[in-house]
């Protein structure tokens, strides 16, 4: 039996909201590297039963792939506390995946949230500054 969850547009939000740590493998059946990565991903799922390992079939769920800007598969995404902390295309070897999981476990999510908020504020200020120059008084 698979230890991964199949994500769809119907269960995606609930899965990510209800679980603090979700790894997502964006894949397709026709993709050779995806098939090579699948057993590595399954073994990592078995070795980390406290985490949610999910898969998105990009052929069956094109809306999800499009929403996340997936252009190359396989793509691995890690979501912690509803914040995407990692996204990278390519089939990872088992030691690299395990190291990545360890790094993601070690993240200070308060610091990540502060960083995201600062980036958003900076982006908003940049947008506001651009709009002020050409407006009539």
């Amino acid at each position: 039996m698979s230890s991964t969850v199949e994500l769809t547009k119907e269960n995606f939000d609930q899965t990510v909201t209800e679980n603090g740590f979700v790894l997502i493998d964006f894949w397709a059946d026709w993709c050779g590297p995806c098939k090579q990565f699948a057993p590595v991903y399954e073994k990592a799922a078995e070795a980390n039963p406290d985490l949610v390992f999910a898969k998105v079939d990009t052929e069956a769920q094109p809306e999800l792939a499009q929403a996340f800007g997936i252009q190359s598969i396989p793509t691995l995404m890690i979501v912690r506390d509803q914040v995407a902390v990692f996204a990278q295309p390519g089939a990872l070897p088992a030691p690299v995946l395990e190291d990545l999981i360890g790094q993601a476990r070690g993240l200070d999510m308060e610091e990540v949230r502060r960083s995201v908020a600062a980036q958003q504020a900076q982006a908003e200020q940049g947008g506001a500054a651009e709009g002020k120059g050409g407006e009539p008084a």
Side-chain angles (χ1 to χ4, degrees):
M1 183 180 140
S2 174
S3 52
T4 59
V5 176
E6 188 67 36
L7 289 183
T8 65
K9 61 183 180 182
E10 290 78 24
N11 71 355
F12 186 91
D13 288 340
Q14 181 179 1
T15 301
V16 170
T17 302
E18 292 179 357
N19 298 283
F21 198 127
V22 183
L23 293 94
I24 305 167
D25 174 23
F26 290 86
W27 69 284
D29 194 45
W30 52 263
C31 166
C34 297
K35 290 182 178 187
Q36 290 174 328
F37 182 57
V40 172
Y41 193 69
E42 283 290 334
K43 283 186 180 152
E46 291 166 12
N48 296 277
D50 58 317
L51 307 180
V52 174
F53 283 73
K55 294 177 84 68
V56 173
D57 180 345
T58 58
E59 293 291 305
Q61 301 296 322
E63 299 92 346
L64 284 177
Q66 185 176 11
F68 288 97
I70 303 301
Q71 297 181 355
S72 180
I73 53 175
T75 289
L76 178 68
M77 180 177 289
I78 299 177
V79 179
R80 279 214 40 209
D81 300 340
Q82 301 175 44
V83 177
V85 296
F86 177 85
Q88 178 181 309
L92 301 174
V96 174
L97 179 57
E98 282 302 322
D99 183 56
L100 190 58
I101 291 168
Q103 289 181 45
R105 282 185 187 273
L107 286 174
D108 177 347
M109 289 309 294
E110 288 302 317
E111 187 177 312
V112 168
R113 275 191 275 286
R114 282 193 297 274
S115 175
V116 168
Q119 288 174 1
Q120 288 174 338
Q122 190 174 19
E124 289 170 10
Q125 284 179 336
E130 290 171 17
K132 287 181 182 174
E135 293 176 11

